[in-house]
Amino acid sequence: NAGVMQNPRHLVRRRGQEARLRCSPMKGHSHVYWYRQLPEEGLKFMVYLQKENIIDESGMPKERFSAEFPKEGPSILRIQQVVRGDSAAYFCASSQNWGRGEINEKLFFGSGTQLSVL
Amino acid sequence: GESVGLHLPTLSVQEGDNSIINCAYSNSASDYFIWYKQESGKGPQFIIDIRSNMDKRQGQRVTVLLNKTVKHLSLQIAATQPGDSAVYFCAEKRRGRGSTLGRLYFGRGTQLTVWP
């Protein structure tokens, strides 16, 4: 039973390039969340998605950042025209939908993608 | 050993001792709390959770205590082992209009170091 899978583990980009971070949730999980972590800080919520729907993107910067969770395939966090301030660890988490509108609040995290912008 | 949350982000203990990691949360509307352990280069790993209608919950070698009066959460680790060395985060889920499951608010974290 594989956990949350993220790739790549490390991503180096030059300023102005695009970064694409991928996340496959745990089997049976239909809810995906992206968090960002700066050095020696806690995780900060960015966006919450279900299949083909963005539920809450209030933690995401308005410009250059976008996220999707298509019907097929992994969730993608996309950062356009990266700047040095985007350098951080980006974590994806997933949770299970028990049905009847009840969602298991326990989040399972992946190992993260460390983005470095040169 | 005991940490004082945000003001003392490091805690060093001897192997075999008990550890207490503290966390102060800010929102009285929070109804669910989780402790995560994060080892270097890895994602947060779930340790234990507690709902606001409880004061205490025990797991294997870990106990979480919740004091809603002073908005304080603590994680107790019994017989601490070198493998327990990591950063420990408390996280809260806030109830209320517009709140969304999965939107956890994380504390800054406490670095626990266990000496053999």
Side-chain angles (χ1 to χ4, degrees), chain A residues 46-109:
Chain A
M46 297 182 74
V47 62
Y48 162 36
L49 310 104
Q50 295 178 23
K51 286 282 188 182
E52 299 184 282
N53 278 309
I54 297 174
I55 307 301
D56 181 359
E57 58 181 345
S58 56
M60 200 135 78
K62 294 288 187 282
E63 298 178 352
R64 303 188 297 109
F65 284 71
S66 62
E68 62 176 6
F69 189 16
K71 187 176 181 181
E72 301 291 337
S75 174
I76 305 287
L77 178 67
R78 183 182 177 203
I79 311 173
Q80 295 177 292
Q81 299 173 349
V82 296
V83 300
R84 290 215 173 112
D86 296 333
S87 296
Y90 291 83
F91 290 97
C92 172
S94 70
S95 68
Q96 187 172 17
N97 185 351
W98 287 109
R100 296 182 293 142
E102 182 178 329
I103 300 174
N104 187 338
E105 295 158 306
K106 189 183 300 181
L107 299 192
F108 294 88
F109 284 84

Side-chain angles (χ1 to χ4, degrees), chain B:
Chain B
E2 185 170 342
S3 77
V4 193
L6 298 178
H7 299 291
L8 283 178
T10 61
L11 174 64
S12 295
V13 300
Q14 199 79 28
E15 181 178 0
D17 286 352
N18 296 331
S19 302
I20 300 176
I21 300 172
N22 296 300
C23 179
Y25 63 94
S26 55
N27 196 310
S28 57
S30 295
D31 61 355
Y32 179 65
F33 304 88
I34 310 178
W35 280 100
Y36 282 95
K37 170 187 179 183
Q38 187 176 26
E39 296 172 281
S40 181
K42 296 184 179 180
Q45 176 188 354
F46 173 88
I47 301 175
I48 192 167
D49 58 0
I50 189 168
R51 296 195 179 277
S52 58
N53 61 353
M54 302 172 68
D55 298 321
K56 179 180 179 179
R57 192 167 187 211
Q58 287 184 294
Q60 188 176 15
R61 282 201 307 120
V62 294
T63 300
V64 55
L65 298 177
L66 175 62
N67 185 330
K68 293 180 286 293
T69 303
V70 294
K71 296 201 282 290
H72 182 268
L73 195 68
S74 69
L75 176 70
Q76 300 177 2
I77 305 174
T80 316
Q81 303 167 1
D84 294 327
S85 294
V87 177
Y88 289 79
F89 292 98
C90 64
E92 59 181 299
K93 182 183 77 68
R94 297 171 183 174
R95 182 179 48 203
R97 186 175 183 177
S99 69
T100 306
L101 289 170
R103 184 166 189 165
L104 296 175
Y105 293 84
F106 281 79
R108 187 181 165 196
T110 297
Q111 171 71 58
L112 174 66
T113 302
V114 183
W115 301 100

